[in-house]
Amino acid sequence: MLALLLAFAVLHSGGASLRAWGVERIGERAWRVLFAALSIPSAVVVIGYFLAHRYDGTRLWNLQEQAWIIPVVWVGTAISFLFLYPATYNLLEIPAVLKPQVRLYATGIIRISRHPQAVGQVLWCATHLLWIGSSFMVVTCFGLIAHHLFAIWNGDRRLANRFGAAFEELKAHTSVIPFRAVLDGRQQLVLGEFLRPAQLGIAIAVGVFWWAHRWIGAGATTFSRTGLGHLLG
């Protein structure tokens, strides 16, 4: 699992780091398509392997019979999605329908955390580790969180190189730790910035994932039976 996560991190974060170099040679749209063509299949492999092996290793705890566990896991997971897929995301730029651009955002969820995806990943790991309780899940969470800690440093480095003083000003008025900049007076929340159509899309996605969880067993079995599943073990 760690090897798969490392391979994904190299492709995903490495591709992000090479964006300026690649764009100069093949253009914004072509680079985005190439980036997605490498990142998405590698993510599918990681997810498939995770689903097939999530209960491997030692079962450290089992709280699944507790009455409180399901609402805690689902509320925490829903909140994690608000950070993992913030309203500032430009969905049409992923398949390069619109020309992909690098921007600085200082509104919405960025007021809470400058790196919302890292916060969302930590929340997702916390809720799923609580639910699954296996040593395999501990290793998975370690790898995912380590990747996002690197992404915090790498993301700030890339934005500083690209935007210079404008990013330094943004950095001075935001925080990585959620709500830290709000609590120390550097930032204030604006409720209207969160009332965007993208948030409805996130709510729908949470509902779809809730419904799709009934197929996790079938998906895990299908992956295990593929040639790639046999190769990975």
Side-chain angles (χ1 to χ4, degrees):
M1 189 65 196
L2 288 177
L4 289 175
L5 287 171
L6 178 61
F8 174 76
V10 169
L11 288 172
H12 192 72
S13 293
S17 297
L18 291 173
R19 177 171 182 162
W21 177 87
V23 165
E24 289 182 359
R25 287 156 177 79
I26 62 176
E28 291 277 6
R29 281 192 168 92
W31 180 257
R32 171 63 72 176
V33 171
L34 177 61
F35 179 75
L38 294 174
S39 294
I40 294 175
S42 62
V44 170
V45 172
V46 171
I47 292 169
Y49 187 83
F50 166 74
L51 293 178
H53 295 274
R54 64 195 185 281
Y55 286 105
D56 282 5
T58 301
R59 193 72 180 272
L60 302 174
W61 60 80
N62 186 1
L63 303 174
Q64 295 182 5
E65 299 299 324
Q66 301 295 318
W68 54 268
I69 190 68
I70 291 179
V72 167
V73 169
W74 274 104
V75 169
T77 300
I79 294 173
S80 79
F81 271 67
L82 295 175
F83 286 89
L84 281 166
Y85 302 101
T88 53
Y89 216 48
N90 296 284
L91 296 178
L92 292 180
E93 292 184 13
I94 298 175
V97 174
L98 296 179
K99 183 179 179 180
Q101 301 179 52
V102 178
R103 305 174 179 83
L104 280 181
Y105 290 105
T107 60
I109 205 163
I110 303 301
R111 295 182 185 272
I112 298 175
S113 172
R114 190 169 68 253
H115 289 279
Q117 288 185 316
V119 174
Q121 187 65 77
V122 171
L123 286 172
W124 184 93
C125 283
T127 55
H128 286 73
L129 178 59
L130 188 65
W131 174 257
I132 294 173
S134 68
S135 57
F136 178 87
M137 189 65 195
V138 172
V139 172
T140 301
C141 290
F142 172 81
L144 287 169
I145 293 173
H147 176 207
H148 280 78
L149 290 176
F150 170 79
I152 289 172
W153 170 81
N154 194 38
D156 279 357
R157 179 189 64 82
R158 291 187 293 110
L159 290 175
N161 289 340
R162 189 179 185 98
F163 295 102
F167 173 73
E168 295 302 327
E169 181 179 359
L170 172 66
K171 185 176 180 181
H173 290 87
T174 56
S175 62
V176 175
I177 299 174
F179 295 104
R180 182 175 182 178
V182 176
L183 293 175
D184 64 21
R186 289 178 292 144
Q187 189 59 261
Q188 62 180 18
L189 298 181
V190 180
L191 181 60
E193 294 175 354
F194 295 87
L195 303 177
R196 301 180 60 180
Q199 300 294 354
L200 176 61
I202 293 170
I204 293 172
V206 171
V208 170
F209 279 115
W210 174 283
W211 173 84
H213 269 63
R214 69 190 67 188
W215 304 108
I216 282 180
T221 300
T222 300
F223 179 83
S224 298
R225 291 175 177 174
T226 63
L228 181 58
H230 284 294
L231 178 65
L232 294 174

